[in-house]
Amino acid sequence: DQQVKQNSPSLSVQEGRISILNCDYTNSMFDYFLWYKKYPAEGPTFLISISSIKDKNEDGRFTVFLNKSAKHLSLHIVPSQPGDSAVYFCAARGLDQTGANNLFFGTGTRLTVIP
Amino acid sequence: NAGVTQTPKFQVLKTGQSMTLQCAQDMNHNSMYWYRQDPGMGLRLIYYSASEGTTDKGEVPNGYNVSRLNKREFSLRLESAAPSQTSVYFCASSEAGKGQNLLAKNIQYFGAGTRLSVL
């Protein structure tokens, strides 16, 4: 059962506008949330994270918001640039079935920024 | 700065054949991971190794074996490949060892992936 869900498989945005990527989770024990970005033929690269004790973390054009009561987080990219076109994975850290801390990944959202 | 290196990049197998996917990291990381990525499924953990000499099952270990040869290398073996194992495989590593919870140490760094087709 998918504990981290990204319900929008794709998103298209005009260059210069805001991109908002969403992620929902079911496990209230997750303590960190991360966003990864993936270009074709490359592995995912870490983008930004947020602790479960915070509601916002900002790094340049990227801001992640966390709403714990709704078990929802979002990644805002402002302004969006063509180079941001990639697949974005949401991930959450929590205990797996062996009791070890591991990452649980969403299915990804493909962002296309139109010049 | 190589980071995490996976070989091969592409492979085609026939059902029943065996092969080993290689992964090496040069960041002196303690933990290493193998994931598979399938359409609509995201990244799913196959096996991981929190330190040299230890391995643990992830979410989807069936049909796979792993070896943590040394601190740098973590290989994934398919003994008898099946079409259901057609996927893109990613190796990752993180600085954290077992029990280390600081997030900065738990961020995972990925290789470029191996695209495997089993016919």
Side-chain angles (χ1 to χ4, degrees):
Chain A
D1 192 28
Q2 197 83 17
Q3 297 191 58
V4 179
K5 298 179 184 179
Q6 294 175 255
N7 292 318
S8 298
S10 63
L11 174 69
S12 291
V13 171
Q14 288 289 135
E15 181 178 2
R17 299 288 185 105
I18 184 171
S19 295
I20 300 176
L21 295 96
N22 294 303
C23 179
D24 297 295
Y25 61 96
T26 57
N27 187 343
S28 59
M29 300 304 290
F30 288 144
D31 63 349
Y32 276 103
F33 302 88
L34 304 87
W35 285 94
Y36 279 81
K37 175 179 179 179
K38 183 185 177 306
Y39 291 119
E42 295 183 11
T45 56
F46 170 72
L47 187 58
I48 192 169
S49 65
I50 187 167
S51 165
S52 61
I53 62 172
K54 299 194 172 181
D55 55 18
K56 177 181 175 181
N57 187 28
E58 193 172 349
D59 183 1
R61 297 185 297 114
F62 301 91
T63 303
V64 56
F65 295 92
L66 176 63
N67 181 334
K68 282 188 70 176
S69 60
K71 295 191 179 71
H72 177 84
L73 67 156
S74 59
L75 174 68
H76 292 210
I77 306 173
V78 182
S80 301
Q81 299 173 353
D84 296 329
S85 296
V87 176
Y88 289 79
F89 289 98
C90 170
R93 191 178 80 168
L95 296 177
D96 67 13
Q97 65 268 28
T98 71
N101 256 329
N102 271 315
L103 295 183
F104 296 83
F105 285 84
T107 52
T109 297
R110 181 179 302 279
L111 173 66
T112 303
V113 180
I114 303 163
Chain B
N1 59 349
V4 179
T5 304
Q6 290 182 235
T7 55
K9 292 192 187 312
F10 302 95
Q11 185 71 49
V12 179
L13 292 177
K14 293 181 180 177
T15 297
Q17 286 185 316
S18 62
M19 81 159 296
T20 300
L21 281 64
Q22 307 286 354
C23 176
Q25 51 91 9
D26 62 2
M27 295 175 282
N28 200 35
H29 282 175
N30 289 298
S31 294
M32 297 186 74
Y33 312 82
W34 277 105
Y35 290 89
R36 59 180 288 174
Q37 183 194 4
D38 302 293
M41 300 294 288
L43 288 156
R44 293 183 295 168
L45 183 64
I46 305 170
Y47 270 94
Y48 66 98
S49 168
S51 63
E52 185 179 348
T54 69
T55 61
D56 285 288
K57 293 179 180 178
E59 181 186 354
V60 288
N62 291 344
Y64 305 96
N65 286 301
V66 290
S67 295
R68 183 74 183 269
L69 304 167
N70 47 56
K71 193 171 186 179
R72 287 189 66 245
E73 298 172 291
F74 188 38
S75 62
L76 177 72
R77 183 159 178 84
L78 287 71
E79 289 290 352
S80 179
S84 61
Q85 295 179 302
T86 293
S87 188
V88 181
Y89 291 85
F90 289 101
C91 177
S93 71
S94 68
E95 184 179 352
K98 197 156 190 165
Q100 289 187 300
N101 291 324
L102 189 63
L103 176 68
K105 292 184 182 290
N106 279 271
I107 292 171
Q108 295 181 19
Y109 298 86
F110 286 81
T114 295
R115 186 172 294 275
L116 175 68
S117 293
V118 183
L119 305 178

